Structures are given as structure tokens and as C-alpha cells.
């Protein structure tokens, strides 16, 4: 079977028929969000996909995408850097990013460097028109994967009063934690990050608490699930890099905080039959694929361990896994993102849809983004949309064939990362 093809076991179904079958056959949804890779970086050479092997530069010239190393760094990828790189849809100013010197953004991996990611694409579905929901960075994107909105944030750092080094926000926690984390802060700097206020207006909080920047309430898909009685968990390593739940007061100080748990509990939950109906899974930062923290081989191995656990459990028969990367990471991509609003979409990232009912060896060309996964969750559980983004989003149903013979598990072997360079 050639890449991009698929087999079906019946005539095309209407959307209502697809959704009815999805509700019968999918009882577990797992949304895995890794770090900092564009589609062209990981799958630009994948047969049949819309990939590129050269990049356009801001001066009108071109440069080849050279073979990446396991720890090839990316350039700066803030919200404003994302706007710079996209350049109104021309996709030609990645060389203007801070840290882009020496061709840093213009690398890509060959299939034999990331064989397990490519194996998932060959056996299941690869999306090549899936976009990050905003121009970046990580903290902002992670709002979109739970709330279909950035909560108006474009970053999680404040400039210092001296106008030089940024001061990273410390969310809704106690200010003593802030002072211990940043012992060199002056009182004036600290006041720019937190303020004491009476939050008795928040249901369930009838006491004085401390709020700091970024700390602002917003409704999320977990709220919708909680109200509907659908079980969920948000698995993560609690780091400011992407701990958006800690910046939402009603979650941070309410009963939902019990379902924000350490990512290392995910595999034990799977093995013990405790997997909730909907899971968000964020890897430990060292294996997140973020080039500043670890190698891509180690990150791919974590992904394999995580997905192997699912495939070796009884839940596999009724699971849909959506695996993606949260922002462009300062790496090149050639496909202009849709301009949906002032926040994005941002540059394209890979999507892998892994399920017994994912179309096998199929390239999904429909335009979609992070809110598409939220739309899938909402439709499967009869939930309302949160914003215009998820209301209008492609729901990814066409990445599945619910009439096909279920695909078997694809249990893969981890690689020896001591042998990669």
C-alpha cells in the first residue's frame, strides 16, 4: 500500500454516521503533547506528505534543509518570533529569529533517525495540515489544548523593571514560593508579579489567597467534562514551562486540582485499569523532544514506552491517541498557517492519530489545529464548544475508518541512544 492510501470496508458515511460509530467504538481519548518541532523538521522527507527540502529566506534566496543531529537546537520561538517567521504567510523569515545564526532553523530528520515516529505514520494516520493554534510559545499553546483560547496571554514572562532580563511568572501559588525561587527580586519587581486580593468571588474559595501573573480564570474542556460526569486527568511534570492549570484559579484552588497529576503516574494508571475517559499527557521535560533539555532519541523512547503501555492494555481496543508537538520551536516549516485571529494559527506541527480505527498508512490532508482535538472530545461526549475556534474546527473524524477491521497494536522497541549523534 502506498503512503497516503487507505482501505475502507464500506461506502462513505455521513458525518452523523461517523460520529455515531465513534461514540460506540472510542471510550478513551489520549492527547499527548510534545515539544518544539515543525512538520518539515520531523516529516518533511516522509513519502507522500507535503514536505520541503529547502527553505526560503527573508532576502528572497533559498537554503537547503540539512540533516539534523539528535540534539540540533532551535532558534527563539516567542509569540513575536512566530509572527516574524510566518511573515504574513510568506514563511520566509525564519532566518531573522534570534539564535538563527548558522542555519539553526533549517534542519530536518531522516526516517532512520526517528524510525519509531515514522513507523507510527506508516501504520496509522499522519496529519500534514495540522497547525499549532498560536504563534507560540509553549505556555500559550498549552492553553489552546485545554481551553480553545490563549486566555489572552502571549507568554509567561514579564520584563524586569530594568528592561533586560525577563522575570518568569509564578502563577497562582503562594508568594513565598516566588521569593524563594527568585531570591534576587526587588520588592518592586515582586509586586509586578503578584498582588494580594480577596478572591471570595470565586466559587469554593472563601478565603484570602495570593494571585500572581499569569493567574486568570477561564473555562476549559476539563470543566465541561467534569460537569458532564466524564472522567479526565491532566498528566504533567509540574514546571512553569507549561503548567497552565496552575494559572487557572478555580482549578488550582478547587477539587479539579486532584485530577492534575504527575505524568509518571500515567503508565501505572494504564496498567492498573485506571485510565480516565480523557487524558492530556505532557512528558517530563527531559524527554519532551525540546532540544534544550534532551535528545530526540530519548524523547522518542518515552513516546514508545507510553504508547506501548496503551497498546498492551485492554483499553487499546477502544482508544484514540492524538500525538502532536506544541509549537514550532524555532524550526522551519514551509506551509502558511490559516490566519484565524490575532493569535494564530501558528506554524505547522505533526499530528499522529493512533488507534485501532485510524486509517492505516494514511496522510490526513484536512486543515486542522489543536482545537480540532478538543472538538473531537466535545462531539464524542456531547459537550458544547468553548469558543469560535473549537466550534468551527475540523473534528478529525475523517482520520478514522470506524468500519474497518481494527488495527492490531504496534509494539515497538526502544532505541539505544548511546549510538546516535
Amino acid at each position: 500500500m502506498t503512503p497516503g492510501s487507505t482501505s475502507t470496508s464500506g461506502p462513505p458515511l455521513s458525518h452523523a454516521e461517523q460520529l455515531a460509530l465513534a461514540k460506540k467504538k472510542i471510550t478513551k481519548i489520549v492527547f499527548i503533547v510534545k515539544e518544539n518541532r515543525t512538520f518539515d523538521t520531523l516529516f518533511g522527507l516522509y513519502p507522500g506528505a507535503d514536505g520541503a527540502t529547502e527553505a526560503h529566506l527573508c532576502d528572497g534566496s533559498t537554503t537547503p534543509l540539512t540533516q539534523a543531529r539528535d540534539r540540533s537546537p532551535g532558534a527563539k520561538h516567542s509569540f513575536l518570533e512566530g509572527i516574524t517567521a510566518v511573515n504574513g504567510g510568506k514563511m520566509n523569515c525564519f532566518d531573522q529569529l534570534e539564535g538563527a545564526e548558522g542555519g539553526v532553523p533549517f534542519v530536518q530528520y531522516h526516517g532512520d533517525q526517528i524510525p519509531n515516529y515514522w513507523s507510527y505514520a506508516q501504520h496509522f494516520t499522519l496529519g500534514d495540515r495540522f497547525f499549532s493554534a498560536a504563534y507560540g510559545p509553549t505556555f500559550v499553546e498549552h492553553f489552546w489544548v485545554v481551553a480553545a483560547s490563549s486566555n489572552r496571554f502571549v507568554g509567561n514572562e514579564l520584563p524586569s523593571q530594568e528592561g533586560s532580563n525577563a522575570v518568569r511568572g509564578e502563577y497562582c501559588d503562594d508568594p513565598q514560593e516566588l521569593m524563594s525561587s527568585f531570591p534576587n527580586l526587588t520588592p518592586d519587581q515582586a509586586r509586578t508579579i503578584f498582588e494580594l486580593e480577596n478572591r471570595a468571588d470565586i466559587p469554593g474559595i472563601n478565603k484570602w489567597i495570593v494571585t500572581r501573573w499569569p493567574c486568570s480564570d477561564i473555562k476549559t474542556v476539563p470543566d465541561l467534562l467534569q460537569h458532564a460526569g466524564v472522567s479526565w486527568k491532566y498528566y504533567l511534570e509540574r514546571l512553569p514551562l507549561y503548567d497552565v492549570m496552575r494559572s487557572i484559579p478555580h482549578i488550582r484552588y478547587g477539587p479539579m486540582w486532584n485530577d492534575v497529576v504527575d505524568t509518571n503516574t500515567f503508565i501505572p494508571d494504564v496498567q492498573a485499569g485506571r485510565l480516565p475517559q480523557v487524558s492530556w499527557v505532557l512528558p517530563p521535560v527531559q524527554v519532551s523532544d525540546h532540544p534544550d533539555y534532551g535528545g530526540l532519541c530519548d524523547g522518542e523512547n518515552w513516546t514508545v514506552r507510553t504508547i506501548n503501555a496503551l497498546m498492551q492494555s485492554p483499553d487499546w481496543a477502544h482508544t484514540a491517541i492524538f500525538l502532536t508537538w506544541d509549537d514550532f520551536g524555532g524550526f522551519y516549516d514551509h506551509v502558511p498557517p490559516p490566519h484565524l485571529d490575532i493569535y494564530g494559527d501558528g506554524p505547522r506541527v505533526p499530528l499522529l492519530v493512533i488507534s485501532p480505527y485510524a486509517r492505516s498508512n494514511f496522510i490526513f490532508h484536512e486543515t486542522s489545529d489543536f482545537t480540532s482535538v478538543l472538538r473531537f472530545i466535545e462531539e464524542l461526549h456531547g459537550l458544547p464548544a468553548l469558543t469560535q475556534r473549537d466550534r468551527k474546527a475540523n473534528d478529525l473524524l475523517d482520520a478514522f475508518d470506524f468500519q474497518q477491521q481494527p488495527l492490531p497494536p504496534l509494539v515497538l522497541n526502544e532505541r539505544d541512544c548511546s549510538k546516535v549523534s
Side-chain angles (χ1 to χ4, degrees), residues 169-390:
E170 280 294 305
Y171 310 94
C172 299
D173 290 345
D174 188 281
Q176 295 306 313
E177 296 177 13
L178 172 70
M179 301 306 293
S180 64
S181 298
F182 299 95
N184 296 323
L185 282 182
T186 67
D188 283 343
Q189 289 172 328
R191 277 194 291 272
T192 68
I193 301 177
F194 66 85
E195 60 178 305
L196 188 64
E197 58 184 33
N198 190 335
R199 300 307 298 264
D201 58 308
I202 300 176
I205 303 176
N206 296 311
K207 60 181 180 180
W208 286 81
I209 64 169
V210 172
T211 62
R212 295 203 301 278
W213 187 93
C215 180
S216 178
D217 238 331
I218 190 173
K219 183 178 282 189
T220 67
V221 170
D223 286 298
L224 302 179
L225 295 169
Q226 188 92 353
H227 185 263
V230 178
S231 61
W232 65 276
K233 283 187 180 180
Y234 186 86
Y235 296 86
L236 83 162
E237 181 181 31
R238 288 200 171 109
L239 293 174
L241 181 68
Y242 43 49
D243 196 351
V244 298
M245 292 299 195
R246 190 152 57 102
S247 75
I248 303 173
H250 80 269
I251 293 178
R252 176 63 184 90
Y253 294 102
M256 292 174 66
W257 190 245
N258 293 327
D259 291 317
V260 180
V261 298
D262 192 280
T263 197
N264 290 323
T265 65
F266 179 75
I267 290 178
D269 278 356
V270 171
Q271 293 172 337
R274 295 190 300 261
L275 188 66
Q277 289 164 276
V278 181
S279 303
W280 284 262
V281 185
L282 282 57
V285 67
Q286 296 295 334
V287 287
S288 67
D289 294 350
H290 194 302
D292 292 339
Y293 299 102
L296 191 54
C297 177
D298 289 325
E300 186 188 55
N301 280 348
W302 176 90
T303 306
V304 166
R305 287 194 298 276
T306 300
I307 294 178
N308 279 354
L310 284 162
M311 290 184 169
Q312 292 171 317
S313 77
D315 287 323
W316 164 249
H318 303 287
T319 292
I321 303 168
F322 298 96
L323 168 62
T324 192
W325 287 256
D326 71 347
D327 64 46
F328 77 106
F331 294 104
Y332 180 76
D333 194 81
H334 80 283
V335 177
H339 181 64
L340 301 179
D341 52 42
I342 62 172
Y343 298 102
D345 280 340
R348 189 176 58 148
V349 293
L351 171 70
L352 288 163
V353 181
I354 302 170
S355 170
Y357 298 101
R359 296 180 185 271
S360 180
N361 196 31
F362 180 66
I363 300 176
F364 180 71
H365 297 298
E366 297 179 24
T367 300
S368 47
D369 71 9
F370 297 153
T371 64
S372 295
V373 181
L374 301 187
R375 191 68 194 141
F376 183 90
I377 295 168
E378 292 161 357
E379 290 190 339
L380 208 68
H381 292 289
L383 307 175
L386 290 169
T387 69
Q388 285 292 97
R389 280 282 201 102
D390 54 329

Side-chain angles (χ1 to χ4, degrees), residues 388-400:
Q388 285 292 97
R389 280 282 201 102
D390 54 329
R391 183 175 294 109
K392 296 180 177 180
N394 181 301
D395 60 12
L396 305 176
L397 279 176
D398 289 340
F400 297 86

